[in-house]
Amino acid sequence: MTAEFEPVPAHGEPPRGAPSAPTPARLAGVEAGVVDRLHAFESDLEAQLSLCGRRREEVHVIVVTKYHTPELAEVLYAAGQRDFGENTLQGLHAKLEAGGSALESARWHFIGQLQRKKAGQVARLAWAIHSIDRTELVDRIDRVELDHAVDAFVQVSLDGQPDRGGVLIEQMDALVERVLASPHLRLKGLMAVAPLGADADPAFERLQELSARIRRVAPEADSISAGMSGDWQAALRHGATHLRIGTAITGKPVSAR
């Protein structure tokens, strides 16, 4: 890669300097219009935040790049995007390996269901993990040596469906306490996905109530990771601070067309 990118920051420090554009060779096959969609989403987000009486700096947009190429992530990085999400260790590793210093400087969020045997490896690579839903994951992460603390979201199940991940609400407090005791994890708040086929507003209202509950124990854990391409507006109305946006920005992967 011939383009020069800003230096890799220390974990917890935001990337510095102006983004550089990837070379034409790296753009081959990249989804056309992805930067336009990024800008359009930002405009929609500003409008929704205004309706909610909230500020842009309150919200982090995580662009979900699963099933997409590292080149697409590079294009978004060059356009100013800094937060990206992957749902598998393989996908996360592939982006970091292929993307060079540009994508190493990005903030990578692990958003998929986390396997215990891979938890330590994910913790070494990720800026944040949004899917801590059982104590076994924390135990495994605490066994590895890390040179940084990893931001952690406790994933809560709002519908009780085990195949979608998330700790049951009645077990949430114990898991929160375990994360708070971890030397490697820094509790940021809660994460959830809305129940399938249901109105997202009541679900995210419940998540907001649960967030208020854990802040009585951990006042600094005031983040809410909620909202995807189809329901992010509802998430914003109920205090979401981290939106996980895929196709609304990235478009569909080539293999899905």
Side-chain angles (χ1 to χ4, degrees):
M1 185 182 302
T2 58
E4 294 183 359
F5 293 94
E6 62 196 76
V8 178
H11 192 91
E13 176 185 343
R16 300 177 297 277
S20 303
T23 62
R26 299 291 284 168
L27 296 177
V30 168
E31 166 67 25
V34 65
V35 174
D36 290 339
R37 286 194 297 273
L38 175 65
H39 293 160
F41 182 84
E42 282 288 339
S43 295
D44 291 344
L45 175 59
E46 291 277 6
Q48 289 294 321
L49 286 167
S50 179
L51 291 174
C52 296
R54 300 181 61 189
R55 302 185 306 276
R56 178 63 184 86
E57 57 266 28
E58 297 177 23
V59 178
H60 300 267
V61 176
I62 301 165
V63 175
V64 180
T65 52
K66 64 179 182 180
Y67 310 131
H68 288 280
T69 64
E71 288 81 3
L72 182 135
E74 281 189 83
V75 169
L76 290 169
Y77 185 94
Q81 178 63 31
R82 289 295 179 266
D83 291 278
F84 297 90
E86 284 289 327
N87 71 333
T88 66
L89 173 61
Q90 181 181 7
L92 177 57
H93 191 267
K95 296 294 192 304
L96 291 170
E97 283 288 299
S101 59
L103 297 189
E104 288 176 1
S105 296
R107 293 180 286 258
W108 286 96
H109 300 251
F110 188 85
I111 61 174
Q113 288 183 258
L114 185 57
Q115 298 178 32
R116 184 181 61 176
K117 64 181 180 181
K118 297 180 180 179
Q121 297 175 73
V122 168
R124 289 192 180 102
L125 298 176
W127 179 283
I129 299 175
H130 290 239
S131 49
I132 300 293
D133 62 0
R134 56 198 188 280
T135 58
E136 292 85 353
L137 298 177
V138 186
D139 294 342
R140 181 58 64 97
I141 290 170
D142 280 350
R143 293 181 194 172
V144 302
E145 293 186 8
L146 297 178
D147 59 3
H148 61 270
V150 181
D151 288 347
F153 292 79
V154 167
Q155 182 179 355
V156 180
S157 174
L158 298 176
D159 57 10
Q161 297 296 319
D163 59 327
R164 305 190 73 205
V167 64
L168 296 176
I169 292 173
E170 55 266 31
Q171 299 170 1
M172 180 189 74
D173 292 338
L175 181 55
V176 164
E177 292 285 357
R178 178 64 185 90
V179 173
L180 288 171
S182 169
H184 291 335
L185 298 177
R186 180 172 47 225
L187 182 65
K188 291 292 290 182
L190 298 182
M191 183 275 243
V193 295
L196 291 172
D199 184 359
D201 271 289
F204 291 146
E205 183 178 15
R206 178 62 172 139
L207 182 62
Q208 189 174 29
E209 293 169 352
L210 294 171
S211 174
R213 186 166 107 190
I214 72 162
R215 290 201 307 274
R216 291 196 288 269
V217 176
E220 71 282 2
D222 57 358
S223 296
I224 299 175
S225 174
M228 298 185 289
S229 290
D231 57 19
W232 63 268
Q233 296 95 333
L236 273 187
R237 288 192 288 271
H238 299 289
T241 60
H242 292 67
L243 306 176
R244 309 182 304 274
I245 307 299
T247 55
I249 293 175
T250 62
K252 291 183 178 179
V254 173
S255 60
R257 293 175 196 156

